Amino acid sequence: MSIDLAGVSELLNQLAEQCVLLDPSDADGVSELVTALDELLACLEEAPATSDLRRAGSMLREGRHAEGLVALGRALDAARDEIDEGRLVSTAAAGREAAERAEPAPAAVEQVPEEDVVSPELLAIFASEADELVVEAERLLLALQDSPDSAAAGQLYRAFHTLKGSAGYLALDELGAFAHEVESLLSAREDGLRRSDLDLVFEAVDVLRGVVEQATRGRVPVLDAAAAPLRARVRAALQAEPEPEFELDEPTSEAARPGNGEAAARGAEAGVVKELVRVDAQELEEMVDLVGELVLAQAILSRCAQQDGVSPAVDQGLKSVGAILRELQTLSSRLRMVPIAGLFQRMRRLGRDLARTERKAFEVVVQGEETRLDKAIIDGLAEPMVHLLRNAVDHGLEASIEERRAAGKPDVGRIELCAFHRGGQIHVEVRDDGRGLDIAQIRRRAVASGLIDAQAEVGDSELLDFVFRYGFSTRDTVTTVSGRGVGLDVVRTAVEAMRGTVEVRSVRGKGTTFALRLPLTLAIIDGLVVRLGNERYVLPALSVVRSLRPRASEITHLAGGGRLLQLGDSTLPLLPLGRLFKVPGAVHDPTRALAVIVELEERDVGLLVDEVLGKQHVLVKSLGDELVRGPGITGGALLPDGHIGLTLDPGTLVRHFSAGEAGLQTAKQDDRVQGSLS
Amino acid sequence: MSKHTTSKYLAFHVAGEDYAVPILKVREITAGLKMNRVPGTAPYVTGIINYRGRIVPVVDLRLRFELPELEDDARACIVVCHCSRDERPYTAGLKVDLVTEVVNIADDEVEPVPSVEATELIEAITGIARVDKRTILLLDLDVVVSLELSARLAIAAATKAAAELEQDAEQAPPA
């Protein structure tokens, strides 16, 4: 008996119901469920949704009932969507049914569009392989740009050759022909690639990027219109008479080439082959999450063991499980750490393009490419880095060679990208050897915008910080690259969203450095857990200086409602978190509460809490961007006592609760007055 | 949207009324999970729970529908559902008085909502089903957790909170 569409749906519904109602410990119920699942699978076509169903089934068979039920629920929901859109149910089954009804066979089977000839799974594999090839090709091209290297040229040839093969496997004829043309060009130049050849291959890589993008989206890729003239030029280059190697348009100098030594060193390193495995990013994410949960579960167990008391053997066992888990957690978070090389390489490529469009001669040099960062941070850094690079090219570097010569600098400008670990943080710097920032002009602009008083004494570093303000630009004209005054504030916002900081250092006439500091990983923070009422909050432990019980004499109440705390020589704003967050049962009288003193970039601030519970490493989870919530609440940390501690960003809290700001202005004046008296 | 004649729903009580959501959207029914309040959220978001290692917000349906809060919530539970918000998958919990049963509802048993009461929250009901002499209101999960309604309510709540803070500040007792 063939199963029809309605029957499949009914089966789906039944399975879904069982999923929700079944108790994971009901072994019989689960095995019945698995049988029904197999029945369903028999009617479905092979697709990612079906594999998810199969995977859930395996989990159930292996005895992982709770997990399997959750996975099955999700997979059923996805399958339902597919079926509603007319997919998944085996056309063979539908065809059989139609035949039984003795109607003319529906065109269902023949109507399979061209696209379905390439299965989604093959396309996904092609997309990821092609992506790797594109990244590799560009890396090789950049290396070849610096100095000729026959090994690199050979690898480049092989990259296109492999691409040709992959394209052929999927019957992507046009793409294959394109790859063949480039491959031929590369193999024809046995005596070394010329600049013009490199340019062509760079353009080819751009076209291939578009192909990868299409394939990643699940579409069978086609070459876009830009490819045709490029292909013509490649073919022309292939037939052209061999030309003598010519010099680059831009003036070169000794400083221009990073030195063959560097390239050779890179080549030597390339000899060490690391065995790598490709892993599904989603699964890696799930694994890291599971490890986090395991650490939490062990912490809970430990606590119970301490409270209830257990035999020494159990206690020992728990301790060793804990030690192993901590190692596992370090390792698993490292797995998500990726070298910043990929990002730096993209920047070098951008630099190359900018040099052409802006008609400026400069090179982009990188250092510390192997520095590893959490993949999430690297993704978040891409946009800010682009802004900073464009900024360096447009504002930093001098407009002309004459200007540079007059300053005694080499003709070719130098932009450095560095990354390194220091003090438990990742440092990323973008340095240029250009004009440097004009502090006097920044000051003038700040006064003109009303940001500071004309007479006010403001330190250099504070003035420099103004460049990060939205709309602040000392340029009078806007260029296509930058100058609108909106680039640097975006950089700061993006970096701060990753719990990082960015500052700028500059020497007039010498150059400018933008220095970013980022946490090693977004997921785990060293937190100070505090209690307010029956709620838990987590502060960044690294910023906490101390905590104390304020005395009535140390507290000043301001007219606007804000409070200040006198601490030694300084006065800080005191934020009553219990009141601000309306926590039921929180202590309101500051003399009965604790003030946690937090150090921020610009100033210190005191946060009033009921009790400090302790320091611990916490795994921070997102609350979901969509959840509209109070200011300064960045995420949730699953705590061993079962609570979810809300992580707070003190900087945002201070900025938002303006009662604190008002109090601060007064405080600053007081400080200055006191300073002049002493 | 459904081409099929009968679908299964999970039915539950909220303030004396019967509601239901499609069973396929339900992940789990849970009770006894610790609720954590989040300051500044809309009043009907009672808090967040730790659901299998993920943080999931919980919407109190009574408050969402502007009904009085439940006094004795001994039998209340949270129906963890899979819906979408801004076209992205979203998991949320619904706090209900009592989960009653799984019920089969045929498409032809569903009637459209009469446009008598013109409240915004009517958008959350996709239809009314009559089963065994009971009236069951079918909920649109996406609307229940929707940003639109939330944004409006959130702005109202934020304005109110800011005004209250100013009032408090003015009334702050001297040191």
Side-chain angles (χ1 to χ4, degrees):
Chain A
M1 180 189 90
S2 63
I3 304 259
D4 63 0
L5 211 54
V8 168
S9 289
E10 180 55 35
L11 200 45
L12 242 187
N13 278 338
Q14 275 175 14
L15 282 166
E17 183 186 344
Q18 287 307 302
C19 245
V20 172
L21 299 176
L22 255 187
D23 193 309
S25 58
D26 177 5
D28 290 329
V30 171
S31 65
E32 269 177 37
L33 183 65
V34 169
T35 315
L37 178 60
D38 285 337
E39 224 185 287
L40 177 68
L41 283 168
C43 313
L44 302 177
E45 286 180 329
E46 271 315 309
T50 332
S51 341
D52 285 339
L53 285 168
R54 268 192 227 288
R55 218 162 17 130
S58 318
M59 280 190 227
L60 291 170
R61 278 200 186 84
E62 288 165 26
R64 289 147 63 193
H65 294 168
E67 246 184 284
L69 288 174
V70 172
L72 185 56
R74 243 184 261 153
L76 284 170
D77 197 14
R80 152 68 106 208
D81 288 336
E82 295 279 301
I83 291 179
D84 275 346
E85 297 192 24
R87 294 192 288 267
L88 260 205
V89 179
S90 162
T91 49
R96 236 184 289 135
E97 226 243 297
E100 276 174 26
R101 283 203 229 113
E103 276 179 41
V109 177
E110 290 120 56
Q111 259 164 19
V112 169
E114 263 296 300
E115 294 181 7
D116 285 341
V117 169
V118 181
S119 88
E121 270 153 349
L122 276 180
L123 199 56
I125 294 176
F126 171 77
S128 87
E129 278 177 6
D131 186 41
E132 247 183 33
L133 287 171
V134 162
V135 170
E136 174 71 0
E138 197 167 56
R139 179 183 76 76
L140 291 164
L141 280 168
L142 286 168
L144 284 167
Q145 188 183 244
D146 292 335
S147 60
D149 174 2
S150 55
Q155 282 174 310
L156 190 58
Y157 166 85
R158 277 194 293 281
F160 277 91
H161 184 74
T162 309
L163 184 68
K164 185 177 79 171
S166 304
Y169 187 61
L170 267 82
L172 301 171
D173 298 328
E174 218 193 333
L175 180 61
F178 180 43
H180 178 71
E181 282 153 12
V182 179
E183 172 200 62
S184 308
L185 178 64
L186 290 168
S187 81
R189 300 286 193 258
E190 279 174 23
D191 52 340
L193 290 161
R194 309 173 203 320
R195 294 273 171 210
S196 53
D197 299 330
L198 286 180
D199 288 346
L200 286 174
V201 185
F202 264 115
E203 282 185 53
V205 164
D206 284 339
V207 169
L208 287 176
R209 255 209 198 88
V211 164
V212 167
E213 174 124 356
Q214 291 175 52
T216 315
R217 295 228 195 94
R219 294 206 298 271
V220 174
V222 289
L223 293 180
D224 73 22
L230 173 63
R231 289 177 71 182
R233 281 155 56 210
V234 170
R235 286 193 289 267
L238 202 49
Q239 282 150 14
E241 288 295 318
E243 289 165 19
E245 172 86 339
F246 60 88
E247 289 296 310
L248 194 53
D249 291 341
E250 299 104 65
T252 59
S253 76
E254 283 316 302
R257 296 181 187 281
N260 289 318
E262 211 182 307
R266 249 183 266 137
E269 268 167 47
V272 174
V273 172
K274 255 182 141 184
E275 192 159 336
L276 299 172
V277 180
R278 298 206 111 216
V279 168
D280 180 310
Q282 174 81 342
E283 291 186 340
L284 185 60
E285 191 75 34
E286 278 176 30
M287 199 197 86
V288 172
D289 271 351
L290 280 173
V291 172
E293 280 183 66
L294 202 51
V295 168
L296 192 61
Q298 190 270 352
I300 295 176
L301 254 183
S302 259
R303 259 175 132 237
C304 290
Q306 272 178 347
Q307 278 170 358
D308 300 348
V310 289
S311 75
V314 173
D315 188 50
Q316 190 58 32
L318 275 175
K319 283 204 172 64
S320 79
V321 169
I324 296 173
L325 276 177
R326 271 187 292 280
E327 244 189 86
L328 186 58
Q329 189 167 46
T330 313
L331 183 60
S332 73
S333 43
R334 262 220 316 273
L335 283 180
R336 275 205 323 209
M337 310 253 288
V338 166
I340 202 172
L343 179 60
F344 276 4
Q345 188 180 298
R346 293 209 306 269
M347 293 299 121
R348 287 191 64 202
R349 174 65 202 270
L350 176 62
R352 186 183 181 279
D353 293 344
L354 281 175
R356 291 177 165 250
T357 54
E358 297 304 303
R359 306 198 151 277
K360 279 189 180 176
F362 64 89
E363 53 173 1
V364 177
V365 174
V366 304
Q367 214 176 35
E369 285 186 295
E370 64 289 344
T371 309
R372 302 180 126 220
L373 282 77
D374 194 306
K375 184 171 184 308
I377 298 185
I378 291 194
D379 291 342
L381 268 182
E383 204 184 299
M385 292 286 283
V386 167
H387 275 293
L388 289 176
L389 183 62
R390 285 175 184 254
N391 201 72
V393 172
D394 203 46
H395 288 240
L397 294 178
E398 291 84 354
S400 65
I401 296 189
E402 290 75 38
E403 212 183 315
R404 280 187 72 86
R405 284 187 183 149
K409 296 183 190 170
D411 289 356
V412 177
R414 189 178 166 92
I415 296 182
E416 277 177 30
L417 303 176
C418 314
F420 53 93
H421 281 278
R422 187 182 295 164
Q425 290 184 303
I426 304 264
H427 295 245
V428 179
E429 297 187 355
V430 179
R431 245 177 259 151
D432 69 71
D433 69 349
R435 300 183 186 118
L437 292 171
D438 184 349
I439 292 199
Q441 198 179 2
I442 292 178
R443 208 202 137 82
R444 277 196 294 276
R445 181 63 79 150
V447 171
S449 310
L451 290 165
I452 51 175
D453 273 340
Q455 295 86 20
E457 276 172 41
V458 188
D460 277 4
S461 56
E462 213 182 308
L463 279 173
L464 281 176
D465 206 68
F466 277 127
V467 301
F468 290 108
R469 277 190 183 256
Y470 178 75
F472 189 97
S473 173
T474 55
R475 279 281 271 253
D476 296 311
T477 57
V478 163
T479 66
T480 52
V481 173
S482 55
R484 283 192 188 82
V486 295
L488 290 176
D489 73 295
V490 168
V491 170
R492 178 162 269 177
T493 313
V495 171
E496 286 182 355
M498 297 189 288
R499 294 203 308 274
T501 60
V502 57
E503 56 175 42
V504 61
R505 299 189 294 265
S506 182
V507 178
R508 188 108 177 95
K510 290 271 170 63
T512 309
T513 301
F514 281 91
L516 287 76
R517 272 187 288 164
L518 299 151
L520 277 176
T521 165
L522 293 177
I524 302 178
I525 63 166
D526 206 3
L528 185 73
V529 184
V530 299
R531 179 182 65 79
L532 276 141
N534 193 27
E535 300 174 7
R536 306 279 183 276
Y537 294 85
V538 182
L539 299 169
L542 293 171
S543 316
V544 173
V545 177
R546 52 188 284 212
S547 67
L548 50 94
R549 175 145 297 169
R551 287 193 284 258
S553 54
E554 294 167 333
I555 303 177
T556 325
H557 287 266
L558 298 174
R563 289 204 190 98
L564 297 176
L565 178 68
Q566 194 73 32
L567 200 63
D569 290 333
S570 35
T571 319
L572 354 150
L574 194 60
L575 294 185
L577 289 183
R579 219 160 44 93
L580 296 172
F581 286 155
K582 296 206 174 28
V583 181
V587 171
H588 280 307
D589 178 0
T591 59
R592 283 204 219 287
L594 278 175
V596 177
I597 313 297
V598 175
E599 192 180 52
L600 298 174
E601 286 284 312
E602 317 86 46
R603 61 179 92 97
D604 289 357
V605 67
L607 302 172
L608 279 176
V609 304
D610 291 3
E611 191 186 344
V612 170
L613 297 177
K615 237 170 65 151
Q616 61 181 109
H617 274 78
V618 291
L619 195 65
V620 181
K621 299 239 163 194
S622 164
L623 289 179
D625 302 319
E626 316 85 0
L627 186 67
V628 173
R629 58 189 182 259
I633 299 176
T634 54
L638 307 179
L639 300 172
D641 60 6
H643 285 256
I644 298 180
L646 297 176
T647 53
L648 300 176
D649 175 49
T652 315
L653 289 175
V654 166
R655 271 200 291 275
H656 191 93
F657 291 107
S658 54
E661 291 265 356
L664 186 64
Q665 294 295 2
T666 329
K668 266 192 165 164
Q669 279 169 359
D670 285 346
D671 277 347
R672 267 201 290 263
V673 167
Q674 291 203 337
S676 66
L677 283 178
S678 60
Chain B
M1 175 196 85
S2 172
K3 301 181 186 112
H4 320 291
T5 47
T6 309
S7 307
K8 282 197 200 279
Y9 289 79
L10 182 73
F12 43 82
H13 273 324
V14 176
E17 298 281 354
D18 283 309
Y19 295 84
V21 294
I23 194 85
L24 279 171
K25 297 288 179 191
V26 178
R27 285 280 148 268
E28 196 170 317
I29 304 164
T30 174
L33 278 184
K34 176 148 192 9
M35 184 72 64
N36 298 269
R37 190 188 73 102
V38 179
T41 48
Y44 54 81
V45 176
T46 52
I48 49 179
I49 52 172
N50 174 357
Y51 173 67
R52 298 183 183 280
R54 277 172 56 192
I55 293 186
V56 170
V58 177
V59 171
D60 184 327
L61 280 183
R62 279 176 169 251
L63 297 178
R64 187 72 167 109
F65 294 148
E66 289 162 10
L67 299 163
E69 234 177 311
L70 185 61
E71 299 275 329
D72 169 24
D73 58 0
R75 283 186 302 172
C77 32
I78 299 174
V79 179
V80 181
C81 300
H82 198 216
C83 41
S84 73
R85 189 159 169 171
D86 278 353
E87 278 152 46
R88 286 200 314 245
Y90 195 65
T91 305
L94 304 180
K95 183 174 173 215
V96 304
D97 297 359
L98 178 69
V99 170
T100 46
E101 58 180 335
V102 174
V103 60
N104 282 315
I105 299 182
D107 281 3
D108 48 24
E109 287 176 304
V110 180
E111 293 161 19
V113 178
S115 48
V116 175
E117 298 164 57
T119 64
E120 288 170 0
L121 291 164
I122 277 298
E123 297 167 46
I125 316 276
T126 59
I128 304 183
R130 300 201 191 280
V131 177
D132 297 339
K133 301 189 199 130
R134 283 195 328 264
T135 307
I136 304 184
L137 302 169
L138 304 182
L139 278 182
D140 184 337
L141 280 169
D142 298 343
V143 173
V144 171
V145 301
S146 88
L147 198 62
E148 249 284 305
L149 285 175
S150 320
R152 269 181 264 152
L153 286 168
I155 290 170
T159 321
K160 194 158 153 249
E164 275 172 31
L165 193 59
E166 274 180 37
Q167 266 185 351
D168 284 351
E170 275 154 32
Q171 289 162 10

